[in-house]
Amino acid sequence: MTSLIPTLGGGYYTDPAIFAAEQEKIFERQWFCAVRSADLPSAGDFRTVQVGRESVLVSRGRDGGLRAFLNVCRHRGARLCTEESGTVKRAFQCPYHAWTYGLDGRLIAAPNLASLPDIDRSEYGLHTVHLREWLGYAWVCLAADPPSFEADVEGAVRERLGDLESIERYRLDKLSVGRRITYDVKANWKLIVENFMECYHCATIHPELTEVLPEFADGYAAQYYVGHGAEFGEAVDGFTIDGTTGFDRLDGVANEQDRRYYAITIRPQVFVNLVPDHVIFHRMYPLAPDRTVVECDWLYSEDVVASGRDVSRSVELFHRVNEQDFDACERCQPAMASRAYRGGGVLMPSEHHIGEFHTWLLTHLED
């Protein structure tokens, strides 16, 4: 009998068949955080996002609402939008045969279509993808019958913080992106999730972070306790690279949330980091068994961003954390194929919630 907990075997991080199953049974069935709503401010603005094996087109309609569609022309299956982002004036037109779709996805024109009076255009619109907006982001789900957003997405926040009000006080939907950095990580997405969920490594590879959050040096992640926020060190004035003062506390943040850091994992691909004067929001895009793109937004009050204030000291702190974490994940990835890790490794008791993540993963893969 041992207090150590077994991990997944190495094949779960390298096997293309397992990655394909994850794409189908997890990323194409769960709610997936796709884009920041404010990145598409005007009618015709769009962005394409890889969700599982599908390219998804998210766009702003003339009515001001966001919609999502499979990025596939209904005629011969050509990729409708080949750019990652852009703006169309009135409609999306397939570059292959010029089938044209309105911003609401309806088929509005095609060469020679008028000569075919028996064709019901409403049957040949773009395939719609479910979309919900929350925390200032558009979340999409490819499933025909999506799981409960309230249970799975909002529920992850309730499970971590104890309630939704705690995150709503930060008013993420009213914040502005002060900096966005995209990381191309040569590691499996699960290694990144596991790394974010634990702090057993913090004293080893995060000297700047443990200076600001001394309790992290003890190896217990803030996510270990429901509702707990790691407290700033006594000599620390702000969540910055040198511990100096950041910006004014965000409107709405409660006194008991001041000088504290909260981390939240929303499975399968979102990390939220809350500090008094800004929010750090990660989205992962798994592209291969050994490649994951991570897009990280640093969110500040509108006044901070609009006035051009220098955010570099707060950005630098978590940018270093990201680089340190992703470097560690990339060091682990090659070993996942080693015979030494064929049967997996072990977790310390303080990492037990990673074991719960593994159980969640296996449950979904068995569905």
Side-chain angles (χ1 to χ4, degrees):
M1 191 72 178
T2 177
S3 57
L4 298 177
I5 305 165
T7 71
L8 298 172
Y12 278 90
Y13 305 86
T14 60
D15 189 336
I18 290 177
F19 182 74
E22 292 170 346
Q23 297 282 68
E24 176 190 354
K25 297 183 178 184
I26 294 177
F27 296 107
E28 294 174 16
R29 296 185 186 179
Q30 303 298 306
W31 286 100
F32 188 100
C33 189
V35 303
R36 178 95 181 144
S37 300
D39 287 347
L40 307 174
S42 304
D45 291 344
F46 71 87
R47 181 169 175 183
T48 57
V49 178
Q50 191 70 25
V51 180
R53 298 163 298 179
E54 296 282 1
S55 175
V56 174
L57 170 65
V58 183
S59 67
R60 180 77 65 184
R62 297 197 180 284
D63 59 359
L66 287 179
R67 293 177 176 82
F69 311 99
L70 294 183
N71 188 21
V72 177
C73 179
R74 294 294 305 278
H75 173 223
R76 296 271 297 282
R79 180 68 56 89
L80 189 63
C81 292
T82 56
E83 300 295 326
E84 181 178 303
S85 61
T87 302
V88 295
K89 290 184 178 180
R90 297 181 179 83
F92 297 103
Q93 187 174 82
C94 178
Y96 193 6
H97 296 96
W99 278 43
T100 304
Y101 305 87
L103 299 182
D104 59 0
R106 292 182 303 115
L107 176 65
I108 57 176
N112 306 320
L113 189 63
S115 64
L116 303 173
D118 60 323
I119 300 301
D120 182 355
R121 297 187 188 189
S122 65
E123 294 184 4
Y124 294 93
L126 298 176
H127 285 290
T128 301
V129 173
H130 298 281
L131 184 148
R132 289 280 299 268
E133 290 188 76
W134 191 53
L135 303 180
Y137 288 84
W139 307 66
V140 301
C141 184
L142 300 182
D145 184 16
S148 168
F149 189 89
E150 290 73 19
D152 287 7
V153 179
E154 294 179 359
V157 175
R158 286 195 189 92
E159 182 179 334
R160 168 65 186 94
L161 299 181
D163 55 50
L164 284 184
E165 290 76 13
S166 294
I167 196 171
E168 288 170 350
R169 295 189 188 110
Y170 292 82
R171 301 176 183 174
L172 271 75
D173 59 329
K174 303 299 184 183
L175 303 182
S176 298
V177 177
R179 186 74 58 84
R180 173 174 292 159
I181 299 178
T182 301
Y183 306 86
D184 198 332
V185 188
K186 298 178 180 63
N188 186 271
W189 68 278
K190 295 186 294 299
L191 290 175
I192 299 173
V193 173
E194 293 161 9
N195 173 278
F196 183 74
M197 293 181 72
E198 54 92 357
C199 209
Y200 190 45
H201 68 278
C202 287
T204 307
I205 71 171
H206 294 321
E208 299 88 358
L209 184 63
T210 52
E211 281 291 319
V212 175
L213 304 173
E215 68 183 72
F216 275 15
D218 295 330
Y220 285 91
Q223 296 184 74
Y224 190 77
Y225 310 100
V226 175
H228 177 71
E231 191 170 2
F232 292 6
E234 290 185 8
V236 171
D237 293 321
F239 198 75
T240 59
I241 188 62
D242 52 8
T244 54
T245 304
F247 305 105
D248 292 340
R249 193 167 79 189
L250 295 170
D251 292 341
V253 173
N255 290 333
E256 62 268 23
Q257 294 172 307
D258 197 15
R259 294 182 55 77
R260 288 186 179 272
Y261 162 84
Y262 300 86
I264 308 162
T265 302
I266 303 177
R267 297 182 297 237
Q269 46 85 244
V270 169
F271 309 144
V272 187
N273 308 270
L274 307 171
V275 293
D277 64 336
H278 66 282
V279 173
I280 306 148
F281 198 101
H282 295 72
R283 285 165 286 152
M284 292 194 303
Y285 302 91
L287 300 181
D290 59 355
R291 184 184 175 211
T292 308
V293 169
V294 183
E295 193 164 274
C296 185
D297 290 343
W298 279 260
L299 306 172
Y300 300 86
S301 71
E302 291 180 351
D303 290 344
V304 166
V305 176
S307 63
R309 297 183 66 182
D310 183 9
V311 300
S312 60
R313 285 182 297 110
S314 54
V315 169
E316 181 61 23
L317 175 57
F318 224 87
H319 174 54
R320 288 197 193 181
V321 171
N322 284 338
E323 290 190 318
Q324 291 156 354
D325 281 339
F326 299 154
D327 179 67
C329 293
E330 289 183 344
R331 287 201 305 273
C332 289
Q333 182 63 40
M336 296 297 101
S338 169
R339 67 188 67 188
Y341 209 78
R342 192 170 294 154
V346 294
L347 301 169
M348 293 291 287
S350 64
E351 302 171 292
H352 71 89
H353 45 308
I354 296 177
E356 294 167 3
F357 166 61
H358 292 165
T359 299
W360 174 88
L361 176 87
L362 294 173
T363 299
H364 283 81
L365 289 180
E366 290 169 0
D367 285 348

